[in-house]
Amino acid sequence: TVEALARPEDLRTCAAGLSALVLRMRDELQAELNRLGEFLRGTARRLQEFEQAMLRSRESYADSAADALQLSDAVGGDLEELRVSAREAQSLDDLKTMIEDRLEVVDHGLKQFVATQPRRAHEAGEALERMTGRLKDLAPQAMHLREDLEVQHARVLIDPLTGILNRAGYTEMVTKHFARWKRYGGALSLAVIDLDLFKEINDRYGHAAGDKLLATVASKLKEVIRESDVLCRYGGEEFVLLLPETSVNDARTMLEKLRRHIEDCPFLLKDSPARVTMSCGVGQFRANDNVDSVFERADRAMYTAKQGGRNQVKTESDLDGS
């Protein structure tokens, strides 16, 4: 049942409530954007720390490799000196002394090299453990943020008056269904629905009553359409219905069912029974079509229904030159 709000103060109250709802949604969305900004800034800081840790790890590895190369050169040099000394030694005692001196140098170099490796490995392990912990901390934050953004995204696509998808929601859904149709084929139809003489209803009963009528019509349409169908409020008193896996003839049958359902609903405006009807146009996606071309054909078919007396369904086949 749709009841009109006749008094000006009722109209102002309704407008103020709608304005407050829009402002609240805007503030909630801004809060989510602020949280997203803070999260991204925190993520950037953590990634910078991770990059610095990896740089230090590479530098430590490079130092270790340089030390190993230096040790190899030193040992190789000492062995070469031992060979030269062995050839030039005058006695076994001299040779023994030379060998012991060189081995002591080599032993010292090896011990120094080996002693530095655990420290470097320990430092690298600690740095990696710290960064792993920080990255783990990011996971639940990212999941929570993603869930919040999905909720806010869904709310942005909903028309607050009727509770169905708004024009932005239509654009997103028709783009998805069009891409799926292009990839897999099948049938996809689109209907444009417009309430008849809605301006006269607004002028006679007031905008508040008109808004309630739109909300009720959307609810009544949802009672009949299939779960796979997508109903959107395109703007004003105009709705768009996407019908996946539906030919234009089957879509006509569905729209006739919807039209009769609305026509038979017992609407009340200012406590008086009112007859509400709608005109519908239907188009089907075909080869070389895009979203705009199909919508244009369905919209023209809807206007053909208006010109033909309203409260009827026309398809693209009813258009001149089709």
Side-chain angles (χ1 to χ4, degrees):
T1 300
V2 178
E3 298 177 353
L5 300 176
R7 296 178 300 171
E9 54 268 26
D10 291 336
L11 187 59
R12 286 193 293 270
T13 300
C14 180
L18 183 59
S19 176
L21 175 62
V22 172
L23 289 175
R24 186 169 67 253
M25 291 181 63
R26 185 198 65 184
D27 292 342
E28 290 176 359
L29 179 58
Q30 186 60 51
E32 288 298 326
L33 291 175
N34 291 340
R35 284 197 289 271
L36 173 61
E38 182 59 33
F39 174 78
L40 292 177
R41 286 190 292 272
T43 302
R45 288 194 298 270
R46 287 180 171 87
L47 290 177
Q48 186 176 18
E49 292 172 0
F50 185 74
E51 182 181 8
Q52 292 172 350
M54 294 300 295
L55 180 60
R56 288 194 295 271
S57 178
R58 287 195 296 269
E59 290 174 348
S60 177
Y61 176 80
D63 290 343
S64 179
D67 288 348
L69 182 60
Q70 184 178 3
L71 176 62
S72 175
D73 291 342
V75 171
D78 288 331
L79 290 176
E80 180 60 29
E81 290 187 17
L82 281 175
R83 283 192 289 269
V84 173
S85 299
R87 287 195 299 268
E88 296 178 352
Q90 300 296 319
S91 66
L92 290 178
D93 289 337
D94 292 339
L95 180 57
K96 179 181 177 182
T97 301
M98 293 177 187
I99 291 175
E100 288 176 348
D101 290 343
R102 290 299 170 189
L103 288 177
E104 184 176 349
V105 171
V106 171
D107 181 62
H108 176 73
L110 283 171
K111 288 179 178 178
Q112 187 176 24
F113 175 77
V114 171
T116 60
Q117 299 315 299
R119 175 180 58 81
R120 287 180 175 144
H122 180 69
E123 291 175 351
E126 284 187 336
L128 183 59
E129 186 175 351
R130 286 195 301 272
M131 294 314 303
T132 300
R134 295 196 177 192
L135 289 176
K136 286 181 179 179
D137 291 341
L138 286 176
Q141 297 178 38
M143 180 63 69
H144 178 69
L145 179 64
R146 178 182 177 183
E147 292 172 353
D148 283 351
L149 289 177
E150 288 176 350
V151 170
Q152 292 303 323
H153 177 67
R155 293 182 66 179
V156 167
L157 302 181
I158 297 297
D159 174 43
L161 177 63
T162 60
I164 62 176
L165 292 173
N166 57 20
R167 187 163 180 171
Y170 159 75
T171 299
E172 182 168 308
M173 293 303 297
V174 74
T175 300
K176 289 181 179 179
H177 280 281
F178 178 72
R180 187 178 294 116
W181 171 77
K182 290 285 285 186
R183 181 173 183 178
Y184 299 109
L188 175 63
S189 293
L190 181 152
V192 175
I193 303 169
D194 193 87
L195 297 188
D196 294 326
L197 304 174
F198 185 74
K199 184 178 182 303
E200 294 184 7
I201 293 175
N202 268 340
D203 292 342
R204 181 175 180 181
Y205 299 103
H207 289 278
D211 287 347
K212 285 190 174 183
L213 175 62
L214 289 172
T216 304
V217 168
S219 178
K220 294 298 182 182
L221 293 175
K222 287 169 63 178
E223 292 175 356
V224 179
I225 63 175
R226 303 165 301 183
E227 186 175 349
S228 59
D229 296 333
V230 182
L231 179 65
C232 315
R233 183 187 178 196
Y234 193 77
E237 70 274 22
E238 191 171 51
F239 299 86
V240 175
L241 181 64
L242 293 173
L243 300 111
E245 301 302 324
T246 307
S247 68
V248 66
N249 290 329
D250 290 339
R252 180 200 287 269
T253 301
M254 169 62 77
L255 268 296
E256 281 288 356
K257 185 177 180 180
L258 291 173
R259 184 195 62 77
R260 289 193 301 270
H261 184 62
I262 295 300
E263 183 182 25
D264 294 339
C265 282
F267 293 101
L268 288 178
L269 296 173
K270 276 193 175 180
D271 296 326
S272 299
R275 182 171 180 264
V276 178
T277 64
M278 61 188 196
S279 299
C280 313
V282 184
Q284 180 176 348
F285 285 79
R286 306 185 187 280
N288 301 319
D289 260 331
N290 56 44
V291 170
D292 292 336
S293 62
V294 179
F295 181 91
E296 190 271 337
R297 290 202 303 273
D299 197 48
R300 285 170 53 206
M302 184 272 293
Y303 277 105
T304 300
K306 292 275 190 184
Q307 294 165 358
R310 304 184 184 88
N311 190 29
Q312 54 187 292
V313 178
K314 294 292 184 180
T315 72
E316 57 192 10
S317 61
D318 298 311
L319 298 175
D320 294 336
S322 298

